[in-house]
Amino acid sequence: MKKLTVRQITFSALVGALYVALCYFGNIFGLNFGIFQCRFAEALTVLPFLCPATAWGLFAGCVLSNLLSPYGLPDLIFGSLATLLAGLLTARCKNRWLAPLPPVICNGLIVGALLAWYEAGFSAAFPGMFAFNALSVGGAELLVCYVLGIPLLSLLERMKIFPEKTGKIAETA
């Protein structure tokens, strides 16, 4: 395992704190939970493309945000793990245009299944509910990650906070 620098750990913690703040703000408007969840904070899930350590900050931020979830412990566990998995997969992406896809796919499938289970259990209605929830959660995630996440990546690359395509925080800033 690679050793993380203090700068990487600090940046990861800042990303996690920003994730929580954005989620709590979005929760005021009822955007974070439910079938059509449009978390502004999910735009941050593209950051592991530039700095892989942020996947852990996103995970911690998601755990803290999911404490407000009406879906309880299953969402706290599986929703947060979906964000961690998405972050770890995003860190492996080679193309910035593909970086939003892991969060879209992971959240669509995992959170979609969680919502379907919550609504229908493992009854005959589960497959239909899963398809609907996976598409609605994945669609909202696609919107947030591409409309907000890609411009965020572009901005951070232009600011030279990260060296392009290395996935590491710049040592000199």
Side-chain angles (χ1 to χ4, degrees), residues 107-118 126 130 133-134:
N107 282 298
L109 294 177
I110 296 170
V111 175
L114 175 78
L115 292 174
W117 171 80
Y118 186 81
F126 180 83
F130 170 68
N133 289 328

Side-chain angles (χ1 to χ4, degrees), residues 3-128:
K3 189 174 180 180
L4 297 175
T5 66
V6 172
R7 188 173 180 149
Q8 289 171 319
I9 293 169
T10 303
F11 190 73
S12 182
L14 287 172
V15 168
L18 183 58
Y19 187 97
V20 171
L22 288 171
C23 278
Y24 280 28
F25 176 73
N27 202 41
I28 293 169
F29 303 104
L31 298 173
N32 290 344
F33 302 104
I35 299 169
F36 299 105
Q37 46 185 278
C38 192
R39 285 188 181 184
F40 302 125
E42 288 294 309
L44 301 173
T45 60
V46 298
L47 292 180
F49 176 75
L50 297 174
C51 178
T54 59
W56 295 99
L58 290 167
F59 172 66
C62 191
V63 167
L64 293 173
S65 297
N66 283 346
L67 290 173
L68 298 175
S69 175
Y71 303 108
L73 191 59
D75 192 26
L76 183 68
I77 295 168
F78 295 108
S80 300
L81 287 174
T83 298
L84 177 61
L85 178 62
L88 295 174
L89 291 173
T90 299
R92 297 179 148 280
C93 285
K94 303 292 184 208
N95 183 322
R96 69 195 289 271
W97 294 103
L98 298 178
L101 286 182
V104 170
I105 294 168
C106 290
N107 282 298
L109 294 177
I110 296 170
V111 175
L114 175 78
L115 292 174
W117 171 80
Y118 186 81
E119 294 163 354
F122 290 115
S123 67
F126 180 83

Side-chain angles (χ1 to χ4, degrees), residues 138-163:
E141 188 81 11
L142 185 79
L143 181 72
V144 170
C145 287
Y146 275 96
V147 172
L148 299 176
I150 290 292
L152 178 64
L153 280 181
S154 297
L155 177 67
L156 291 174
E157 285 175 339
R158 275 183 284 170
M159 290 175 65
K160 306 268 188 230
I161 293 173
F162 305 97

